[in-house]
Amino acid sequence: NMYSATDDSTSILATAAHVARTLPEDLPSTKDHDVNALALYIIQRLEKESEKHTSDLTAVQKSSWLYQVAKAVMDLDIDDVFGEPLKLASRLLFQSLAIHHESFAKLSEMGELAEAMGSTASPSLSVENLASILDVAVTGALSFAHDKWLSMSVSDTARGPKANSISKLVNGRTRPFFMPSWTAKMMKVQGDGEMDGIIAKNNKDGVIATLEGLLDVAGNLGFKEGDYVNYAVQLPKRLGKSSSSKAVALPAAAVAWLAQLGSQLKDISNRYEDCLQKKETYKLGFSALAATHDRYIQNNHEWASSDQKVPFFELSIQEQMRDLPILVGTVYYCLFAPPLSTTVQDQIDAHKLRKMQIKDLMSGQEGNQNEEEASCSLIAFLARLIGIGSSVKVASKSKKRE
């Protein structure tokens, strides 16, 4: 079950009890931290104490486990200093779990589409294809990409003025827009639209850069030798800031290629490190991630930290995974944005119908087989009953067919 962590409630309660018992040991170090930093610290403690139970779980399952532990800690006696941070930590983990569910559903749709499209697709994507759908892809991907980033950053990021470190106690960073997109939209309705504007701008730039990266991969524009940052900065820009024409669904070849990419991203998102060890199997997915990173450096080389200004596979795994949200969101909405999705959904529905028909056919054959076997058994029983069992041979179904 992709949606639940485990039924091992004993382990969850034991982990919660240990966290509740040991948190007060850190009280002397907490006095200079605000509620956001302490919430992050609690999440990190929950994650650390849960490692032996979550190391083999998918992203959805791990998120579910951590939320259950946080809820269990809230039911235990704990120092008042951790009261509000614990509530915030629990809320963030719940939001993260909800976002993971949405992400899993979208990744599954792309997997179904890839299955419906059939055989491996050749790279097929043009500037004209993407230029016409740019607006609908951006509009769809904005909130999703931000929220998926939030769910993946919940254990290393807290809300606060931008900084790349917090303290010796709390290993993480702060960002002012660390909140779900729906919270930013609510703030905008209440008269404060700053965070919503930042989220929209950051992710619009990110989606366009990612579309450029997809063109790089489709065109086999590989990494060039030499200075990496200089290479990234000089990558060609082919897309504008808005659509060049009315949105038109992508050609079948482009849909098939993007669906294949989406299917790989499903596996990569669920078990990143396992897939990383099988890079060649997931070559398309990791090529797209590398291209997304190249384009990120192109846009942000002036202020990106030095540890980010390196080729994709030289990044830490944590930094590599930060490119997943914008890539998954962009690919999904290239395929499933409302004006484009009718044809794609028809293909999925037709494929599901074919699978149901095959299943019904197989069930019917199995039913016929069972009826034949039952008839054979009855004849044999009656033969034995009247004493002629030794002289009556009942043909088996296999012999009949032979």
Side-chain angles (χ1 to χ4, degrees):
N1 187 337
M2 293 297 294
Y3 289 99
S4 62
T6 178
D7 292 328
D8 193 357
S9 56
T10 301
S11 297
I12 289 172
L13 292 174
T15 303
H18 179 74
V19 171
R21 186 173 62 253
T22 56
L23 267 179
E25 296 173 4
D26 299 314
L27 272 175
S29 305
T30 62
K31 60 181 180 180
D32 295 325
H33 296 78
D34 66 8
V35 65
N36 295 291
L38 288 179
L40 173 58
Y41 175 64
I42 290 171
I43 291 172
Q44 290 175 342
R45 285 293 304 275
L46 295 176
E47 201 168 51
K48 181 179 179 181
E49 299 300 336
S50 300
E51 278 178 351
K52 64 182 178 182
H53 303 290
T54 60
S55 58
D56 294 328
L57 300 183
T58 66
V60 179
Q61 293 169 332
K62 181 178 178 180
S63 184
S64 176
W65 172 280
L66 292 175
Y67 173 58
Q68 291 178 70
V69 175
K71 282 200 305 179
V73 174
M74 290 180 70
D75 293 333
L76 302 172
D77 289 333
I78 195 166
D79 194 285
D80 289 342
V81 170
F82 295 106
E84 287 304 312
L86 181 57
K87 289 179 184 177
L88 176 57
S90 180
R91 185 164 68 249
L92 284 168
L93 289 170
F94 178 75
Q95 291 167 342
S96 176
L97 177 58
I99 294 163
H100 275 303
H101 276 299
E102 181 190 7
S103 174
F104 180 74
K106 285 177 165 52
L107 289 163
S108 296
E109 281 187 274
M110 291 195 286
E112 290 175 351
L113 179 58
E115 186 180 339
M117 298 297 290
S119 58
T120 302
S122 300
S124 179
L125 207 60
S126 70
V127 176
E128 291 72 22
N129 293 157
L130 296 185
S132 75
I133 67 167
L134 193 148
D135 286 349
V136 293
V138 167
T139 300
L142 285 181
S143 295
F144 172 78
H146 172 78
D147 290 337
K148 186 168 175 63
W149 166 81
L150 178 89
S151 70
M152 293 179 65
S153 302
V154 74
S155 62
D156 65 18
T157 308
R159 188 178 176 190
K162 183 178 177 182
N164 289 326
S165 63
I166 297 176
S167 70
K168 290 182 179 179
L169 177 68
V170 186
N171 180 26
R173 58 185 193 162
T174 53
R175 295 292 185 269
F177 45 82
F178 188 74
M179 64 183 73
S181 62
W182 60 84
T183 299
K185 292 184 186 302
M186 189 181 302
M187 291 169 61
K188 182 178 180 180
V189 170
Q190 295 170 346
D192 182 2
E194 182 182 7
M195 292 301 107
D196 185 66
I198 292 174
I199 290 170
K201 182 185 183 308
N202 286 352
N203 286 283
K204 179 176 181 177
D205 291 345
V207 172
I208 295 172
T210 302
L211 291 172
E212 292 276 13
L214 292 176
L215 289 172
D216 296 342
V217 176
N220 200 27
L221 182 62
F223 174 68
K224 305 294 187 296
E225 296 296 328
D227 177 55
Y228 171 70
V229 174
N230 189 51
Y231 155 75
V233 169
Q234 294 185 29
L235 285 168
K237 290 190 176 183
R238 294 147 292 196
L239 297 171
K241 293 291 184 181
S242 60
S243 293
S244 59
S245 60
K246 182 179 179 181
V248 178
L250 296 172
V255 170
W257 185 71
L258 286 172
Q260 181 184 331
L261 171 56
S263 180
Q264 291 196 11
L265 291 176
K266 175 188 175 183
D267 292 344
I268 291 170
S269 295
N270 285 330
R271 297 189 182 276
Y272 191 88
E273 292 187 48
D274 290 346
C275 292
L276 188 61
Q277 293 176 5
K278 298 178 279 188
K279 268 192 302 192
E280 286 304 308
T281 303
Y282 296 97
K283 187 174 182 179
L284 178 56
F286 282 111
S287 294
L289 281 166
T292 300
H293 174 66
D294 293 345
R295 292 294 179 164
Y296 168 82
I297 293 300
Q298 181 181 55
N299 283 356
N300 303 290
H301 65 278
E302 292 182 358
W303 63 266
S305 59
S306 58
D307 62 329
Q308 293 176 323
K309 295 179 182 180
V310 294
F312 180 77
F313 291 109
E314 293 181 25
L315 295 167
S316 67
I317 288 178
Q318 188 179 43
E319 286 298 322
Q320 290 177 25
M321 292 178 68
R322 291 199 202 281
D323 289 307
L324 273 170
I326 198 73
L327 178 58
V328 170
T330 300
V331 174
Y332 178 84
Y333 282 99
C334 281
L335 296 167
F336 290 95
L340 312 174
S341 61
T342 303
T343 303
V344 169
Q345 194 60 52
D346 285 347
Q347 289 174 308
I348 293 176
D349 292 344
H351 179 64
K352 286 181 177 178
L353 180 60
R354 286 195 299 273
K355 287 174 69 175
M356 288 174 62
Q357 289 170 336
I358 293 170
K359 183 178 180 181
D360 289 344
L361 180 62
M362 296 299 290
S363 297
Q365 290 177 345
E366 186 177 329
N368 292 336
Q369 175 184 339
N370 291 339
E371 286 177 15
E372 284 189 49
E373 289 174 348
S375 298
C376 292
S377 298
L378 179 59
I379 293 170
F381 171 72
L382 291 174
R384 287 195 301 273
L385 188 64
I386 62 176
I388 58 173
S390 59
S391 61
V392 176
K393 293 183 179 180
V394 181
S396 70
K397 171 174 166 279
S398 61
K399 288 183 178 178
K400 284 181 180 178
R401 287 189 173 174
E402 287 171 2

